[in-house]
Each structure stands twice: as structure tokens, then as C-alpha cells.
Amino acid sequence: MAQLVDVEGVKAEIARIPRQEASTRRMEHPSELFDVGQEINAEEVGRWREGQLHPSARACEIPALRSFLLACERGQVLTGPITKIVPFGVFVQLAPDVVGFLHLSELADEPAQTPDQLVDEGELITVEVTEVDLQRHRVRLSAAGGSDRT
């Protein structure tokens, strides 16, 4: 299901916001988030094959994350603390209000069964941005030169 929106400042253009672009929050129906006539912020993320505008309200939901992703570039090196360790990787604080995920396979050159064999929570780690995905609102990371112990 999609939301129909009238795009302000664009002559008579109607756009559809697909459910996956409405919000990062789970919902059964868009009426849980939006009211008819409500003004929302959305960003153009592309055009459909027919040339119709493809907006995303989701892209504007977390301004700090959006700003971070727009400023990120492939090959950029960042350092941040590991905030959480899970069986398949670690979460790294990349900026205030921005956490990235580093998969176990990208964590180190040496094989390990679990990330906690290689790093500790709170440890500073240097990562390299390998891909910025604006549509999925994430950044792919790889370990850059191992971790810096604190």
C-alpha cells in the first residue's frame, strides 16, 4: 500500500510513498502514522520507470543519520567504540546518534567463531566505509587496520 502525496512546489505532481519508505517503524497500515491532509517531510530518492517521483518519508525520520550518510564516502576511515557484540558481528558508534554494524567476516583477517574472541565491548575500533546505501539507510563497514585497544 502506498501513500499519495501532493508535492509542494512542483506543478501538479502526485507521488506515491511505498510502505517501506513511509517509516522505519513497523505498521499495519499507513493511517497509523499519517492523517489525510497532514504535511510531512520527504526526500526524492529516485523516479519510477514511468518518470513518477519516488519520495521517502523514512529518509527524513532520523536527521542525524541522514546527514551522516550524505557526508559519508566510500574509503572513509572512522573510529568509534564498540557498543554491542552479537554472534555475527559488532555495533560501532560512528557519530552521535549513529551506530553502524560490522559483520564478523569483516572484523579481522584471522578466522574466529564469535566476535568476542577478537574484540571487547567499549573497545575503540577503526573501520572503513565500503558502501553507503541511502535507500536502506545504512553504511557497510570493514575493519581498517584492526582495533585500537583502550
Side-chain angles (χ1 to χ4, degrees):
M1 174 171 275
Q3 295 291 103
L4 290 177
V5 294
D6 183 11
V7 182
E8 186 177 305
V10 178
K11 186 178 179 183
E13 185 162 10
I14 300 279
R16 290 191 189 114
I17 298 177
R19 180 184 292 231
Q20 69 271 16
E21 291 297 336
S23 178
T24 55
R25 294 173 275 169
R26 294 196 189 280
M27 65 181 157
E28 292 296 318
H29 190 273
S31 63
E32 295 172 29
L33 303 172
F34 307 112
D35 295 318
V36 174
Q38 176 184 351
E39 288 190 22
I40 62 170
N41 290 323
E43 180 175 309
E44 180 178 341
V45 293
R47 293 273 173 172
W48 298 104
R49 289 184 188 178
E50 308 82 35
Q52 185 181 29
L53 178 65
H54 178 193
S56 172
R58 178 181 175 181
C60 300
E61 238 176 9
I62 307 170
L65 175 60
R66 188 67 178 168
S67 295
F68 177 83
L69 291 173
L70 289 170
C72 246
E73 294 182 9
R74 188 169 194 225
Q76 184 175 354
V77 176
L78 305 164
T79 300
I82 295 172
T83 59
K84 185 175 182 180
I85 298 175
V86 293
F88 46 88
V90 299
F91 290 91
V92 181
Q93 186 80 44
L94 300 173
D97 301 321
V98 179
V99 175
F101 182 73
L102 179 61
H103 192 272
L104 176 60
S105 65
E106 295 287 339
L107 193 53
D109 293 331
E110 59 200 62
Q113 296 293 326
T114 61
D116 57 3
Q117 294 175 326
L118 302 169
V119 294
D120 298 312
E121 195 168 304
E123 180 178 332
L124 285 180
I125 188 165
T126 301
V127 294
E128 181 180 344
V129 174
T130 58
E131 180 185 351
V132 178
D133 187 341
L134 292 173
Q135 283 202 298
R136 295 177 73 193
H137 311 286
R138 43 180 148 178
V139 59
R140 181 169 288 176
L141 303 172
S142 179
S147 59
D148 301 321
R149 293 255 179 204
T150 56

